[in-house]
Amino acid sequence: MRKIKNPWLSKPGYNCFGCCPDNPHGVAMEFFEDGEDIVCFWRPAAHYQGWIDTLHGGIQATLIDECASWVVFRKLQTTGVTSNLSVKYRKSVMTTESQITIRARLRTMKRNVAFISVTIENSCGELCTEGEAVYFTATHEKAAEMGFTECVTEGDELLSM
């Protein structure tokens, strides 16, 4: 497993709710590449709850959408926009969890449309939420116009998380 470098860090105006580490209101996600999967290990907090100690469904949808976008960045080496997002809530995700795992994988491509499957598991490894994201991907030329150059990993293999 390798940590993915955030390709947006040096871009003027970058303040993504999902992945900007400096957005004080965001979820500050970081991503890793694990074979075909893009993975995020995230710690829920009480201020993201809907019901008492329960992670808000909209925050779960955000986590799914953001992880899917990093599949586009890393695996397809381009940018894109969400055209459809479907979420199935199977089991409550508690804000008291020490860590949850969001895992995304490119399922298929049809022309410039990426179909991405995403899951959220609790700290016991139980499936809590499933998502399907559909992204319209940009050509490499359009991505470059938007400031995207590449999405690479850093450092040596990580032993465990």
Side-chain angles (χ1 to χ4, degrees):
M1 189 174 308
R2 293 186 182 271
K3 187 173 188 327
I4 300 172
K5 287 185 177 182
N6 187 328
W8 308 109
L9 287 179
S10 64
K11 307 298 181 206
Y14 167 65
N15 197 35
C16 179
F17 181 80
C19 64
C20 181
D22 300 323
N23 182 333
H25 305 291
V27 292
M29 298 170 76
E30 293 184 317
F31 298 92
F32 299 84
E33 185 174 43
D34 184 17
E36 295 301 311
D37 294 344
I38 301 301
V39 181
C40 174
F41 304 100
W42 190 74
R43 289 176 176 80
H47 60 271
Y48 294 122
Q49 74 179 4
W51 180 242
I52 298 167
D53 292 336
T54 305
L55 188 61
H56 192 285
I59 296 295
Q60 291 181 59
T62 297
L63 299 173
I64 287 169
D65 187 32
E66 187 68 20
C67 199
S69 72
W70 281 71
V71 169
V72 174
F73 304 153
R74 176 67 186 143
K75 297 300 186 178
L76 303 177
Q77 291 295 311
T78 191
T79 61
V81 294
T82 311
S83 68
N84 191 20
L85 183 65
S86 171
V87 181
K88 293 179 184 175
Y89 302 97
R90 303 284 187 198
K91 180 178 180 155
S92 294
V93 177
M94 307 312 292
T95 57
T96 55
E97 291 280 346
S98 59
Q99 176 177 281
I100 63 173
T101 303
I102 305 99
R103 184 175 293 271
R105 177 181 285 213
L106 179 65
R107 193 166 34 91
T108 189
M109 285 290 298
K110 293 184 180 174
R111 295 183 181 230
N112 68 327
V113 181
F115 296 83
I116 301 164
S117 297
V118 188
T119 59
I120 298 177
E121 295 179 351
N122 63 20
S123 59
C124 296
E126 298 170 319
L127 176 65
C128 296
T129 312
E130 294 177 288
E132 293 292 328
V134 180
Y135 272 76
F136 284 121
T137 62
T139 64
H140 294 289
E141 294 78 19
K142 180 66 175 171
E145 288 175 21
M146 297 169 65
F148 180 85
T149 53
E150 65 180 345
C151 185
V152 298
T153 59
E154 62 183 41
D156 295 328
E157 290 285 327
L158 299 175
L159 297 178
S160 64
M161 286 305 296

